[in-house]
Amino acid sequence: MSVDEQTGLLTRLALRDRLADTIATTDDIGIIVFTAGIERHEHIRAMIGYEAMTEIVSGLGQRALAMDEITHVARIAPDTIAGFFVGDSALANDMMSRLHLGFEEHTKVTGGTISVDTTIGFALGGRKSSAEQLLQQAELALGQARANWRRTWLFSQSEYGSPEKKLGIMSELRRGLEAGEFDLHYQPQVQARTGAVKSVEALLRWTHGRPQQFSIGQLIELAEGTGDIRHITRWAIQRAMHDIEALNWEGYDIRVAINLSGQLICEDDFIAEMIELGGDQLHRLQAEITETAMLRNPDRALVNLQKLAELGVEISMDDYGTGYSSLSQIQNLPITELKIDQRFIKNLTATNRDPLIVRSTIDLAHALEMKIVAEGVEDAATYALLKAMGCDILQGYFIARPLPLEELVVFLKDTDGIAAKNDGPLLNFLTQLK
Ligand code: C2E
Ligand code: MG
Ligand code: MG
């Protein structure tokens, strides 16, 4: 069977055969394979039904076929189509935007029209490429686009790296975790109004032997790909609960914010695991999640986050402003705090645009009864401006870098006397420290 019965498009196998024929008969010019996936397809299918979803997929296929360059299109997954065309990298670039624009238009389905978001992955091949490999690379590019929260992505072997090397690093990471080579550092968050520190963000550190070419952010991303993020998060929560108790002994009632990967939030046993790890102290944790985490599997994530919130865990939206969600979209989530991404804070005092964005985000968040945290506060001028704008909580190198537990205790002792009066003296104190 070479045709998908529901949409009339080719099957993956048939597309692969046509691709192999074209590679065999094409001379010097390259071949470009693309895959286009519908975002939030589960959600859309739940809303409009399976048949209308099939109509959408078929509509996208027809739109691709309407382009002169494209002669073959297949349905390769319930929500994904793929096709190819002959050309060079300049044409690939041109087609990236043309395809994306074409897919954005409204699609007619029985009962009305609908517009869907698509993500497109591309892979560039030539005479020596294998059809299967090119298709796989285009599928990987779709995944890379989604992981990077981009609409289009061209597969790059160097960025993808070698799978064996990545697996090697992950087994090293597992060993390091067991051997006690990891630590959590805590970055203080200052309440703008009072200058008090009531919360800290826990950030993972590989204290010895970390492969230097990878940052913590990149290691986390790798761990999400291999499933190791589960071990890491378990470890981090256990460590944080332990450190919270140590802080209590020192007389500090501090909330610890843990970064939670989207993958975990979407798992069925996520809540059971959190309860197991946090017990009756779970409410001392705060959870940081990102926009991407939410949008990938919104239904499951929503249920889990609601349960987590019911257990007393405050939920923050991390890196806000880097994705596509609007405040009106996230106001239905049990989120009590927005963390504006560092990129808007870094140049706050040097540009005209960022203060406008930050100011209006603060005002909108307050209208929705959410607190606002600014991260990446690196100097006194930014600190002062954010406070004047009504930002609730400030975090960044200007206040303190992420600190090992013992240094956090020293920091808390030093700021203790100053906090709770007002932040004028705190600002002076912090400025003197620099
Ligand atoms: P994030 O959650 O947005 O964390 C903030 C990052 O900004 C941290 O980088 C922190 O060290 C850095 N930072 C804080 N203040 C400043 C500043 O004033 N200037 C600049 N330039 N940077 C500042 P880090 O520790 O490298 O972490 C990177 C990312 O890795 C985190 O971004 C988070 O997404 C992830 N991550 C870290 N630890 C964990 C963890 O335990 N679990 C999970 N799932 N993700 C983690
Ligand atoms: Mg964070
Ligand atoms: Mg962040």
Side-chain angles (χ1 to χ4, degrees):
M1 193 181 65
S2 61
V3 172
D4 172 58
E5 275 178 11
Q6 289 160 336
T7 58
L9 300 172
L10 295 176
T11 60
R12 188 183 188 283
L13 206 61
L15 182 78
R16 198 187 67 188
D17 290 345
R18 306 273 153 73
L19 180 60
D21 289 346
T22 309
I23 291 173
T25 52
T26 303
D27 289 333
D28 291 334
I29 316 178
I31 300 225
I32 297 116
V33 179
F34 69 89
T35 54
I38 297 170
E39 289 308 301
R40 309 179 66 205
H41 61 100
E42 285 171 5
H43 187 72
I44 298 174
R45 197 175 57 215
M47 258 174 11
I48 64 173
Y50 185 82
E51 275 168 24
M53 188 68 190
T54 307
E55 286 181 59
I56 293 176
V57 175
S58 154
L60 292 183
Q62 295 310 326
R63 241 173 251 184
L65 284 168
M67 294 186 181
D68 289 343
E69 293 83 356
I70 300 172
T71 45
H72 298 98
V73 174
R75 182 190 206 184
I76 59 167
D79 62 315
T80 311
I81 61 167
F84 64 87
F85 50 92
V86 174
D88 54 12
S89 56
L91 181 67
N93 271 328
D94 179 41
M95 290 292 280
M96 271 196 194
S97 47
R98 276 170 57 202
L99 272 172
H100 194 254
L101 271 178
F103 290 158
E104 256 186 4
E105 282 169 28
H106 281 70
T107 307
K108 276 207 179 75
V109 294
T110 313
T113 60
I114 185 164
S115 72
V116 291
D117 276 340
T118 53
T119 303
I120 313 178
F122 290 83
L124 199 59
R127 274 187 78 170
K128 293 189 184 130
S129 307
S130 107
E132 177 58 35
Q133 201 181 23
L134 263 185
L135 250 174
Q136 278 181 19
Q137 289 179 347
E139 288 171 308
L140 282 170
L142 181 59
Q144 285 176 322
R146 285 176 166 150
N148 289 284
W149 207 238
R150 299 279 286 275
R151 299 304 174 98
T152 56
W153 195 270
L154 179 64
F155 177 80
S156 137
Q157 187 70 54
S158 61
E159 263 173 65
Y160 182 64
S162 99
E164 298 78 33
K165 197 167 142 207
K166 284 182 182 169
L167 290 174
I169 291 166
M170 282 302 120
S171 55
E172 183 59 12
L173 182 143
R174 249 166 275 154
R175 186 203 54 75
L177 214 49
E178 271 168 33
E181 293 175 4
F182 280 80
D183 205 358
L184 279 188
H185 285 188
Y186 298 99
Q187 190 172 33
Q189 300 181 324
V190 170
Q191 309 270 323
R193 212 169 45 78
T194 60
V197 174
K198 297 273 183 215
S199 54
V200 293
E201 176 174 9
L203 292 156
L204 189 72
R205 291 292 177 266
W206 192 340
T207 41
H208 324 277
R210 168 171 72 85
Q212 287 307 313
Q213 70 270 39
F214 292 101
S215 68
I216 282 295
Q218 287 168 323
L219 283 170
I220 299 276
E221 219 173 276
L222 280 181
E224 283 176 344
T226 57
D228 284 294
I229 191 67
R230 231 191 143 92
H231 298 285
I232 297 177
T233 311
R234 266 190 88 89
W235 176 87
I237 294 175
Q238 276 166 330
R239 166 53 65 88
M241 298 312 300
H242 180 269
D243 289 351
I244 287 171
E245 206 177 315
L247 285 168
N248 264 327
W249 271 98
E250 297 280 345
Y252 295 103
D253 182 12
I254 299 276
R255 267 179 184 256
V256 174
I258 290 274
N259 290 281
L260 290 181
S261 129
Q263 211 183 326
L264 299 174
I265 300 165
C266 298
E267 283 182 10
D268 289 341
D269 56 356
F270 167 74
I271 290 294
E273 187 136 4
M274 290 296 283
I275 293 174
E276 185 202 321
L277 294 169
D280 60 358
Q281 296 298 302
L282 195 59
H283 62 279
R284 292 184 186 273
L285 283 186
Q286 211 168 312
E288 291 195 7
I289 59 160
T290 57
E291 289 171 70
T292 357
M294 289 305 309
L295 298 174
R296 199 71 54 77
N297 195 341
D299 301 337
R300 183 77 246 162
L302 181 62
V303 172
N304 278 341
L305 289 180
Q306 270 160 350
K307 284 192 193 146
L308 198 61
E310 280 162 22
L311 289 164
V313 177
E314 279 200 30
I315 300 166
S316 313
M317 176 66 79
D318 203 356
D319 304 340
Y320 181 72
T322 53
Y324 290 94
S325 47
S326 65
L327 274 181
S328 63
Q329 277 170 305
I330 59 176
Q331 70 170 319
N332 300 323
L333 306 171
I335 283 166
T336 51
E337 189 178 275
L338 279 191
K339 295 188 81 171
I340 308 181
D341 192 65
Q342 315 197 2
R343 78 176 65 167
F344 300 107
I345 307 300
K346 285 243 169 73
N347 303 315
L348 195 63
T349 52
T351 66
N352 292 327
R353 198 191 52 141
D354 291 356
L356 281 177
I357 297 177
V358 170
R359 180 70 205 244
S360 55
T361 308
I362 292 174
D363 291 346
L364 265 168
H366 284 166
L368 297 170
E369 295 180 347
M370 291 179 196
K371 279 178 290 177
I372 278 273
V373 184
E375 61 179 338
V377 180
E378 291 189 353
D379 54 56
T382 308
Y383 184 103
L385 180 58
L386 284 163
K387 184 180 151 59
M389 285 177 166
C391 183
D392 303 289
I393 296 169
L394 304 155
Q395 179 184 347
Y397 293 169
F398 175 64
I399 296 145
R401 291 194 171 250
L403 304 167
L405 183 69
E406 315 78 64
E407 289 180 34
L408 174 69
V409 172
V410 174
F411 177 89
L412 291 172
K413 285 197 172 125
D414 285 350
T415 48
D416 235 7
I418 306 160
K421 290 182 192 153
N422 62 61
D423 87 339
L426 179 69
L427 191 55
N428 293 341
F429 166 75
L430 291 168
T431 311
Q432 278 160 25
L433 276 185
K434 306 293 139 180

